[in-house]
């Protein structure tokens, strides 16, 4: 937010130094981002009177204007469409003068006619936004007077970063009050101003207000003006709005913006002629209602949206933006001024849903002051009459279904001393709280302190700790002596943390990189994965793509994969350890169960040496990493079992359950190709989706085996390769398990190194080749003994699984 030191000084009745104020306010917790000086144009920018205007002899789009600059007559060529005739007063840049954009004015011919100077627009002078025409001065200024003497344009602009808990500082009155509190100055709010030109007609004959939703709109004030003339605001008003970052529009609309910047109170002006019967209804929108807002966009409303309506239709989205149908135009003569207080939560939800934030919604959703609305709407009416003429109706409307009750907060000096760690003077605390608008009464129980009635412009003051903070910051944090706090640390519960770190180290050692994703995901992603059943919806999501809590870590990993693939980074080997959330009884938050899980994803070319066949990551890479990690985590071997019915996100050919110590702890497999197509993942040249190896396991409840050292055998090993043909339905895991069971004494390991289909292998069958390592702990194995074991294994595989030894 931008604020004018000159305006703040006018409110306080005292000059305020910009740099000192910025420093003191920052120390008091009101952060200042920038201090910038606004200067008036130099002495070469003067007022001039038009003597004669004639058409340029060579160009019809130009005029030749004779002006008097106070000392001499000059000829100037001007192309502005609003170039005035004789008698008007304009702004002249004399030769040798530099403009705001750096151009230097010189006497030179323009299309064959000599021009000695330049008639300037606001934008060219850097004093306003308008560059569509030259600046025509109001009244009868003395010819030749520098513009900087005619108007006091010098100022200092402070740029604030106002935190959401201090909405009172979004207006100049609130900032002036804050400056007074910090400097220990007396502060008197600006007096209410009532219109001097009043109609004999009572407002009740012109307008009616009905509040159907008092929770959404606790107070609504309105005034009516008749006979106004819509035109540009005076230059001083336009300049003030310009330096504060607001675009001038017309005198009526500019007054609403001035009041917003002055009092932090958004106003809205309706063309009364376009409100049938002058009736205003504050209600919730009906299902399917629409409105075209001032930005020319048709917006569909929901029953949760608060609207300002006429008898027939919505005419404004309450607290967010007005409607096009009742906007102030050049032909407007009668105006209804709205000055209301709206529920912050209602405005925040509507603004976020419509992706529409305005200066009004920015303030309403933080909380405005419902107390002084009648005085504000009267001030606005008086300002509009001063600038637009017309007269005000007798009285104003002040619809307030329930009285506004300020918060009453007990404040004990002993608690303030204990929390801040210093000794406060009760009289200094009293003075500080009175300066920010609080009223005080002694505590009823006799303890030293006050019952504080918080002002309605400070919605952040609701608890005793808030009052403690106020007295501390107004005294000055820099004046509070430093003391060493006493901290007693509790013994940490390390079991969960140790397991998490062990899982992370194990998966990193298996070749995966750790990633961290948001705990929020999109409902669309959970539906694609077939996981919508127990998801937890967010009451106030950050955006539409993060509207539910994750029930699995997989959505975050798939989002990351899509992000990388879209940027041609196809190799990815990652894991994440984090919490998932599902509906259920119990939990830290009632009805939501959190579970610690680990998940991984592998995709794209495998890492390799120069001469190796690289290949593409698939199920084997995911299972290999998980199997290696399981041994490090729990000191037990993990195994896989085929799913009876594969989950929708897994390819049916590879979907497996992961078993550790007889417990089903998760799943591993490849991403379903149909889901890969939905996510626009690239495929091979045949159009088939490239495999994506994925896994996810739960970390709770798995017993950890104590590692036991077993020395290496000094006896030599003996290896044998065996290739057998099996029916396609036989799983490789079953082959390995049966081989181990058939020779448990001396069979040290079984590793599959080839699976082959086609060629001489009949259709519906596959060849599986595996290497077996035999070793006895106490002797060297004889060849005949090893051959016998190989034969026993082959017989078991033939009998049980229907295998045939390849010749």
């Amino acid at each position: 937010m931008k604020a004018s030191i000159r305006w703040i000084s006018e409110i306080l009745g005292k000059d305020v130094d910009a740099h000192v104020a910025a420093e003191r306010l920052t120390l008091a917790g009101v952060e200042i981002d920038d201090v910038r000086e606004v200067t008036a144009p130099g002495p070469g920018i003067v007022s001039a009177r038009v003597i004669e205007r004639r058409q340029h002899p060579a160009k019809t789009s130009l005029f030749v204007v004779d002006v008097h600059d106070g000392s001499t007559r000059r000829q100037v060529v001007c192309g502005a469409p609003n170039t005035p005739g004789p008698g008007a007063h304009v702004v002249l840049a004399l030769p040798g003068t530099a403009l705001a954009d750096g151009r230097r004015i010189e006497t030179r011919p323009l299309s064959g006619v000599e021009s000695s100077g330049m008639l300037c627009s606001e934008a060219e002078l850097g004093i306003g936004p308008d560059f569509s025409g030259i600046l025509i001065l109001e009244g009868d200024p003395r010819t030749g007077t520098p513009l900087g003497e005619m108007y006091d344009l010098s100022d200092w602009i402070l740029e604030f970063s106002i935190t959401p808990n201090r909405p009172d500082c979004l207006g100049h009155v609130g900032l002036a009050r804050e400056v007074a509190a910090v400097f220990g100055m007396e502060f008197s709010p600006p007096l209410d101003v009532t219109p001097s030109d009043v109609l004999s007609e009572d407002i009740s004959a012109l307008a009616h207000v009905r509040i159907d939703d008092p929770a959404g709109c606790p107070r609504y004030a309105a005034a009516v003006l008749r006979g106004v003339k819509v035109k540009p605001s005076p230059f001083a008003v336009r300049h003030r709005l310009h330096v504060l970052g607001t675009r001038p529009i017309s005198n009526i609309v500019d007054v609403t913006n001035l009041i917003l910047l002055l009092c932090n109170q958004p106003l809205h002006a309706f063309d009364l002629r376009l409100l049938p019967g002058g009736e205003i209804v504050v209600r919730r929108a009906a299902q399917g209602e629409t409105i075209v807002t001032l930005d020319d966009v048709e917006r569909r409303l929901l029953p949760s949206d608060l609207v300002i309506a006429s008898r027939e239709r919505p005419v404004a989205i309450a607290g967010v933006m007005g409607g096009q149908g009742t906007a102030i135009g050049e032909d407007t003569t009668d105006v209804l001024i709205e000055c209301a207080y709206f529920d912050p939560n209602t405005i925040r939800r509507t603004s976020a849903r419509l992706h529409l934030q305005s200066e009004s919604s920015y303030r309403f959703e933080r909380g405005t002051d419902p107390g002084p609305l009648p005085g504000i709407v009267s001030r606005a009416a008086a300002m509009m009459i001063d600038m637009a003429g017309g007269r005000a109706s007798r009285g104003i409307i002040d619809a307030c279904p329930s009285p506004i009750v300020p918060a009453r907060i007990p404040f004990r000096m002993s608690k303030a001393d204990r929390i801040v760690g210093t000794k406060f003077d009760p009289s200094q605390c009293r003075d500080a709280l009175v300066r920010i608008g609080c009223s005080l009464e002694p505590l009823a129980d006799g303890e030293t302190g006050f019952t504080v009635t918080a002002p309605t412009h400070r919605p952040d003051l609701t608890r005793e700790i808030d009052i403690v903070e106020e007295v501390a910051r107004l005294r000055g944090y820099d004046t509070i002596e430093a003391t060493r706090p006493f901290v007693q640390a509790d013994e940490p519960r390390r079991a969960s943390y140790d397991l998490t770190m062990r899982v992370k180290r194990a998966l990193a050692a298996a070749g995966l990189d750790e990633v961290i994703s948001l705990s929020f995901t999109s409902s669309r992603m959970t539906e694609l994965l077939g996981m919508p059943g127990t998801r937890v919806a967010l009451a106030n999501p950050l955006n539409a793509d993060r509207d539910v809590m994750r029930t699995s870590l997989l959505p975050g990993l798939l989002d990351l994969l899509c992000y990388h693939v879209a940027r041609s980074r196809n190799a990815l080997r990652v894991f994440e350890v984090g919490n998932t959330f599902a509906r259920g009884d119990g939990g830290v938050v009632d009805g939501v169960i959190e579970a610690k899980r680990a998940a991984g994803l592998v995709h794209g070319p495998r890492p390799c040496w120069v001469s190796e066949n690289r290949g593409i990551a698939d199920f084997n890479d995911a299972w290999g990493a998980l199997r290696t990690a399981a041994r490090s985590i729990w000191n037990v071997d993990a195994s896989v079992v085929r799913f009876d019915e594969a989950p929708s996100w897994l390819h049916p050919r590879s979907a497996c359950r992961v078993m550790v110590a007889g417990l089903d702890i998760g799943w591993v497999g490849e991403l379903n190709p149909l889901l890969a197509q939905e996510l626009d993942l690239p495929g091979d040249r045949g159009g088939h989706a490239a495999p994506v190896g994925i896994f996810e396991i739960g970390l709770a409840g798995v017993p950890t085996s104590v590692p036991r050292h077993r020395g290496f055998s000094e006896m030599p090993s003996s290896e044998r390769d065996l290739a057998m043909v099996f029916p396609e339905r036989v799983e490789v895991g079953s082959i390995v398990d049966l081989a181990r069971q058939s020779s448990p004494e001396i069979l040290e390991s079984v590793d599959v190194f080839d699976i082959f289909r086609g060629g001489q292998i009949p259709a519906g069958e596959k060849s599986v080749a595996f290497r077996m390592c035999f070793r006895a702990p106490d002797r060297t194995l004889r060849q005949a003994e090893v051959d016998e074991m190989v034969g026993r294994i082959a017989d078991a595989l033939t009998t049980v699984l229907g295998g045939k030894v390849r010749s």
Side-chain angles (χ1 to χ4, degrees):
M1 175 193 166
K2 295 179 180 178
S4 161
I5 280 291
R6 182 178 169 192
W7 205 357
I8 291 174
S9 299
E10 291 172 4
I11 295 170
L12 292 174
K14 295 181 180 179
D15 289 337
V16 177
D17 183 277
H19 290 91
V20 175
E23 180 181 1
R24 294 285 297 276
L25 288 172
T26 299
L27 289 174
V30 183
E31 183 180 350
I32 313 293
D33 290 336
D34 189 29
V35 181
R36 175 174 57 85
E37 186 177 12
V38 176
T39 57
I45 308 295
V46 301
S47 66
R49 179 171 53 85
V50 177
I51 300 172
E52 183 182 356
R53 182 192 68 181
R54 57 189 178 276
Q55 199 70 46
H56 192 284
K59 286 199 172 184
T60 59
S61 60
L62 299 178
F63 297 98
V64 179
V65 185
D66 291 345
V67 298
H68 196 279
D69 65 4
S71 60
T72 185
R73 179 169 177 154
R74 293 178 180 275
Q75 178 178 277
V76 180
V77 176
C78 181
N82 67 331
T83 303
H89 291 268
V90 293
V91 178
L92 172 67
L94 297 172
T97 303
L99 298 182
D101 57 7
R103 287 182 295 164
R104 183 168 291 278
I105 304 303
E106 303 293 348
T107 299
R108 62 188 181 90
L110 292 175
S111 299
V113 177
E114 184 176 274
S115 180
S116 179
M118 177 179 174
L119 304 186
C120 302
S121 69
E122 294 177 0
E124 289 163 333
L125 297 173
I127 58 174
D130 187 11
F131 54 82
S132 62
I134 62 173
L135 175 59
I136 301 175
L137 298 174
E138 303 147 358
D140 188 18
R142 185 168 58 88
T143 303
T145 305
L147 191 65
E149 293 181 16
M150 295 175 55
Y151 299 101
D152 188 0
L153 304 179
S154 59
D155 199 353
W156 287 91
I157 302 300
L158 304 186
E159 193 146 356
F160 290 81
S161 289
I162 303 298
T163 53
N165 67 315
R166 290 301 306 276
D168 58 301
C169 289
L170 291 172
H172 281 71
V173 170
L175 288 172
R177 182 186 290 108
E178 189 72 8
V179 170
V182 169
F183 283 89
M185 301 163 54
E186 293 294 328
F187 174 77
S188 298
L191 297 176
D192 293 341
V193 179
T194 56
S196 56
D197 292 323
V198 179
L199 291 167
S200 59
E201 208 169 3
D202 192 84
I203 193 172
S204 61
L206 301 173
H208 312 275
V209 173
R210 189 179 81 238
I211 299 177
D212 289 348
D213 186 0
C217 177
R219 192 171 195 179
Y220 192 104
V224 170
L225 305 182
R226 306 198 73 174
V228 301
K229 182 174 178 56
V230 178
K231 59 183 178 180
S233 296
F235 170 71
V237 172
R238 300 200 308 273
H239 179 260
R240 173 158 285 181
L241 290 174
H242 169 67
V243 298
L244 293 176
T246 300
R247 180 172 63 91
I249 297 173
S250 68
N251 48 9
I252 299 298
V253 177
D254 291 350
V255 166
T256 66
N257 287 327
L258 280 174
I259 293 294
L260 178 140
L261 295 171
L262 177 66
C263 305
N264 183 39
Q265 176 59 53
L267 302 181
H268 187 70
F270 295 98
D271 188 327
L272 184 63
R273 174 175 54 89
L274 302 175
L275 287 172
E279 185 168 352
I280 289 287
V281 181
V282 186
R283 60 172 173 82
R284 297 287 171 163
Q287 185 69 43
E289 276 190 316
T290 61
I291 183 175
V292 178
T293 46
L294 290 173
D295 55 358
D296 283 329
V297 176
E298 183 178 47
R299 303 186 186 275
R300 185 169 295 277
L301 304 174
L302 297 179
S304 59
D305 300 326
L306 189 69
V307 298
I308 310 301
S310 66
R311 292 175 180 173
E312 304 162 352
R313 66 188 189 283
V315 294
I317 303 174
V320 179
M321 187 172 286
Q324 192 70 267
T326 55
I328 300 296
E330 293 181 357
D331 60 344
T332 298
T333 57
D334 298 340
V335 175
L336 184 144
I337 310 170
E338 169 192 281
C339 181
Y341 174 80
F342 298 115
D343 171 55
N345 292 328
T346 300
I347 305 306
R348 188 181 303 115
R349 282 194 296 267
T350 297
S351 176
R353 186 185 67 79
L354 294 174
H355 303 290
L356 179 62
Q357 187 175 75
S358 61
E359 287 292 336
S360 295
S361 68
Y362 181 80
R363 287 164 167 79
F364 277 127
E365 66 189 28
R366 284 159 175 76
T368 58
D369 183 359
L373 299 192
I376 290 175
V377 76
S378 294
R379 173 181 289 272
M383 292 174 66
M384 287 183 186
I385 290 174
D386 286 344
M387 287 195 283
R391 302 175 71 185
S393 62
R394 267 193 305 111
I396 63 169
I397 295 173
D398 183 15
C400 186
S402 300
I404 306 297
V405 180
R408 289 175 57 83
I409 309 159
F411 169 64
R412 296 162 292 174
M413 297 301 306
S414 59
K415 185 166 186 178
D417 295 346
R418 177 171 54 83
I419 290 175
V420 182
T422 191
K423 187 70 175 177
F424 283 102
D425 183 339
S427 62
Q428 290 180 348
C429 292
R430 172 186 289 276
D431 291 343
L433 293 172
V434 169
R435 285 200 303 272
I436 64 171
C438 297
S439 58
L440 309 178
E441 302 171 12
L443 286 175
D445 57 7
E447 186 173 356
T448 303
F450 314 101
T451 297
V452 179
T453 301
T456 53
H457 64 262
R458 290 296 301 272
D460 58 313
L461 302 182
T462 58
R463 302 167 300 165
E464 185 175 19
I465 192 66
D466 300 327
I467 307 300
V468 172
E469 181 183 7
E470 284 299 296
V471 298
R473 75 177 188 86
L474 292 175
R475 167 175 165 170
Y477 293 126
D478 55 325
T479 68
I480 299 173
E481 60 275 11
T483 57
R484 189 184 300 276
F486 176 74
V487 178
Q488 183 172 356
D490 296 329
E491 182 179 354
R493 299 179 180 179
R494 296 193 55 87
S496 175
Y497 173 79
D498 289 343
L499 174 61
T500 298
M501 296 308 299
R502 195 160 64 243
V503 171
K504 290 183 177 182
R505 285 193 290 266
L507 290 171
L512 307 184
D513 297 319
E514 184 181 5
V515 298
I516 300 174
S517 62
L518 293 176
S519 297
F520 314 134
T521 187
S522 68
S523 52
R524 175 182 175 272
M525 179 64 83
T526 61
E527 289 165 1
L528 282 177
L529 295 173
M531 302 177 176
T534 58
R535 67 190 180 194
V536 180
L538 295 176
N540 188 21
L542 296 175
N543 56 57
D545 293 331
R546 295 283 184 269
D547 60 340
V548 295
M549 301 296 288
R550 63 187 180 190
T551 56
S552 165
L553 301 180
L554 183 58
L557 297 182
L558 291 178
D559 283 343
L560 180 66
L561 175 61
C562 293
Y563 180 88
H564 278 248
V565 166
R567 289 155 181 78
S568 301
R569 300 175 63 183
N570 294 327
L572 198 65
R573 302 173 69 86
V574 295
F575 77 90
E576 179 174 9
V577 179
N579 288 341
T580 60
F581 306 83
R583 289 289 180 195
D585 296 332
V588 177
V589 177
D590 189 34
V592 179
I593 301 297
E594 296 184 38
K596 184 76 73 176
R597 301 182 71 81
L601 181 148
V602 294
H603 174 71
R606 297 185 178 107
C608 67
W609 296 105
V610 174
S611 60
E612 291 181 320
N613 178 19
R614 192 170 193 182
I616 300 296
D618 56 13
F619 167 86
N620 297 298
D621 298 77
W623 169 230
L626 180 56
R627 180 178 168 188
T628 302
R631 167 59 69 176
S632 299
I633 299 167
W634 294 293
N635 194 41
V636 293
D637 286 321
S639 60
V640 291
V641 178
R642 289 292 297 273
F643 269 108
D644 295 332
E645 293 185 9
S648 59
W649 62 89
L650 291 179
H651 197 305
R653 76 180 180 198
S654 62
C656 294
R657 293 181 288 125
V658 179
M659 309 298 294
V660 171
L663 298 176
D664 182 349
I665 66 167
W667 50 262
V668 63
E670 291 180 5
L671 188 69
N672 193 312
L674 297 177
L675 180 56
Q677 291 177 6
E678 287 280 350
L679 298 175
D680 292 328
L681 296 177
D684 56 25
R685 293 180 180 178
H688 302 292
V692 180
I694 50 177
F695 66 81
E696 184 169 17
I697 59 172
L699 302 183
V702 181
T704 302
S705 176
V706 178
R708 296 185 181 278
H709 173 72
R710 188 176 72 174
F712 291 104
S713 173
E714 298 179 356
M715 300 299 119
S717 64
S718 180
E719 294 183 348
R720 294 285 192 278
D721 292 346
L722 181 62
M724 298 184 68
V725 177
F726 293 93
E728 187 65 53
R729 59 179 172 76
V730 176
E731 297 177 1
V732 173
S734 302
I735 299 171
V736 173
D737 290 343
L738 185 56
R740 286 175 173 162
Q741 295 169 11
S742 302
S743 182
E745 311 91 19
I746 59 174
L747 181 61
E748 191 171 73
S749 64
V750 181
D751 294 302
V752 176
F753 64 85
D754 183 54
I755 300 176
F756 178 73
R757 298 175 179 86
Q760 297 180 354
I761 306 301
E765 296 185 343
K766 61 186 175 186
S767 171
V768 180
F770 47 95
R771 180 168 293 128
M772 297 170 286
C773 178
F774 298 91
R775 191 197 306 267
D778 54 353
R779 67 186 190 283
T780 300
L781 293 173
R782 291 176 287 109
Q783 183 174 345
E785 189 176 4
V786 173
D787 290 343
E788 179 187 353
M789 288 298 141
V790 172
R792 184 191 303 177
I793 291 170
D795 289 343
L797 294 175
T798 300
T799 302
V800 178
L801 300 179
K804 296 175 289 186
V805 177
R806 288 187 63 182
S807 56

